[in-house]
Amino acid sequence: MTTKKKQTAGAWRFGIWLPGLICMAWPSAWAQSTRPPGLQQAEIYTSYDSLSGNYGSWREVGVRGLYSTGPHMVSGELANMQRFNEDGTYLGLGNTMVLDKNWYGSLSMGAGDGASYLPRYRVDGFIHRKWLQDLSLVTSLGLGHYRSPLDYTDNKISLGATAYLPSSWVLQAEARINRSNPGTIDTQQYFMAATWGQAGQTRITGRYGWGEEGYQVLGSDQLISRFSSHQTTISAQHWLGPDWGIRARIENYKNPFYKRQGFLISVFKDWP
C-alpha cells in the first residue's frame, strides 16, 4: 500500500461512499412488479461520520426521489456534503426499465461539482435476470466507469445474486473486479447482506463488505492506493403510518490509514 501527495482519484470505494450509488438499490425491489405512473417516494436525509487519524468528520444532507412512468422507474438524488474539510455537491440520476417478465435493466449517471472526492462523472449499467418458477432468484451483471476531476479512472465489472426467501428474508451477495488507472491497479471487493421484514412495517438489513481498494482520496492533498478495507452496516426502515416513516443506518469502516464510524437518519414519504 502506498500514500501519495497532491493528487486525487475516484473509485468504487468502501471508504468514499458515493451518494448516487444508492439510487440503484431503490428500483430493484420495484422491478419485481411494475408500479402505476406517478411519484413513488421522496426522502430527505442527513448523516454524520467521525474519522480517526486527524481526518476530521463528514457531514451530509440530501434529497432523493422515485418517479414511475409505468415500465420505467426514474430515480434522482441531490446531496451536499463536507469531507476532509472540503465542500462538495453531487447530482445522480437513474432509470430502471422492465424488459419482460424475466428481465430488467438499469442505468445511472452522476457528477460532482469538482470536489476531489466526487466524480467528474460516473456511469453504471446493470442487466438483471429472474429465475425459478416463482421468480424469487435474481442474478445481475454490471459494468461501471468512474472518472475523477484529475482524470484518474476506475472500470469495474460486478456479478451479484439476490434471493427472496419465505418468512420475509432477502439474501444478497456481490463480487466486483475493478481496474484503476494510472498504474493498472487490479482489485476485488465482496459484499454480503441479509434483510428481514416487510414493506409497510419494519425492515432490518445487515451488510458486510471486504476486499482491496485501488485508490482513495483523502482531500485535495493526499491519495492512498492498493490497500485492504472492510465495512459493516446495519440499517432499519420503519413505517410510522401507511405511507411514511423513517430510516436509520449505523456504519463502521476500517482501512490501514483510518477508521470511520457514523450514522444516517432520514424521513420518507410513499405514494401508492
Side-chain angles (χ1 to χ4, degrees), residues 23-266:
C23 291
M24 298 303 302
W26 287 7
S28 298
W30 158 84
Q32 299 290 7
S33 59
T34 302
R35 300 291 299 274
L39 186 62
Q40 302 297 309
Q41 188 177 91
E43 180 176 20
I44 182 169
Y45 71 91
T46 184
S47 68
Y48 175 86
D49 293 80
S50 62
L51 283 69
S52 65
N54 297 317
Y55 287 116
S57 60
W58 293 1
R59 295 174 176 83
E60 182 174 331
V61 294
V63 293
R64 305 170 180 144
L66 287 174
Y67 186 91
S68 173
T69 65
H72 295 266
M73 179 67 81
V74 179
S75 60
E77 178 170 8
L78 179 64
N80 181 264
M81 64 204 74
Q82 184 182 74
R83 299 179 181 180
F84 305 111
N85 298 312
E86 183 181 6
D87 293 329
T89 300
Y90 179 87
L91 175 65
L93 296 172
N95 180 36
T96 298
M97 179 180 181
V98 175
L99 303 175
D100 61 27
K101 176 185 176 182
N102 295 316
W103 292 88
Y104 64 100
S106 54
L107 177 69
S108 70
M109 297 174 287
D113 63 350
S116 61
Y117 53 82
L118 290 174
R120 175 183 293 177
Y121 67 86
R122 53 173 286 268
V123 181
D124 306 286
F126 290 84
I127 187 71
H128 311 270
R129 172 66 156 88
K130 303 176 188 178
W131 304 90
L132 305 182
Q133 186 174 0
D134 60 357
L135 307 178
S136 61
L137 177 64
V138 181
T139 55
S140 304
L141 172 65
L143 297 174
H145 176 75
Y146 180 114
R147 182 172 292 274
S148 80
L150 292 185
D151 291 330
Y152 286 86
T153 62
D154 282 341
N155 292 288
K156 69 140 186 179
I157 182 170
S158 64
L159 296 172
T162 301
Y164 296 86
L165 304 179
S167 303
S168 304
W169 282 96
V170 180
L171 302 181
Q172 297 173 283
E174 182 180 355
R176 298 177 183 173
I177 300 173
N178 188 84
R179 171 163 290 184
S180 302
N181 280 297
T184 314
I185 300 175
D186 294 328
T187 56
Q188 296 82 42
Q189 296 177 344
Y190 308 94
F191 307 86
M192 299 180 67
T195 298
W196 176 86
Q198 296 182 4
Q201 299 178 17
T202 300
R203 283 177 173 165
I204 299 173
T205 299
R207 182 178 183 273
Y208 181 70
W210 72 99
E212 285 188 313
E213 302 185 43
Y215 286 109
Q216 187 184 121
V217 62
L218 306 181
S220 59
D221 64 348
Q222 187 175 358
L223 176 71
I224 57 179
S225 64
R226 192 182 287 280
F227 58 94
S228 62
S229 63
H230 59 90
Q231 181 181 41
T232 304
T233 304
I234 299 174
S235 60
Q237 180 180 13
H238 180 68
W239 277 258
L240 297 173
D243 58 359
W244 73 283
I246 60 173
R247 300 184 212 261
R249 185 189 74 207
I250 57 174
E251 191 169 79
N252 181 278
Y253 166 88
K254 295 180 181 179
N255 69 32
F257 299 92
Y258 69 87
K259 300 177 182 179
R260 176 171 60 84
Q261 294 180 318
F263 69 89
L264 176 148
I265 188 166
S266 71

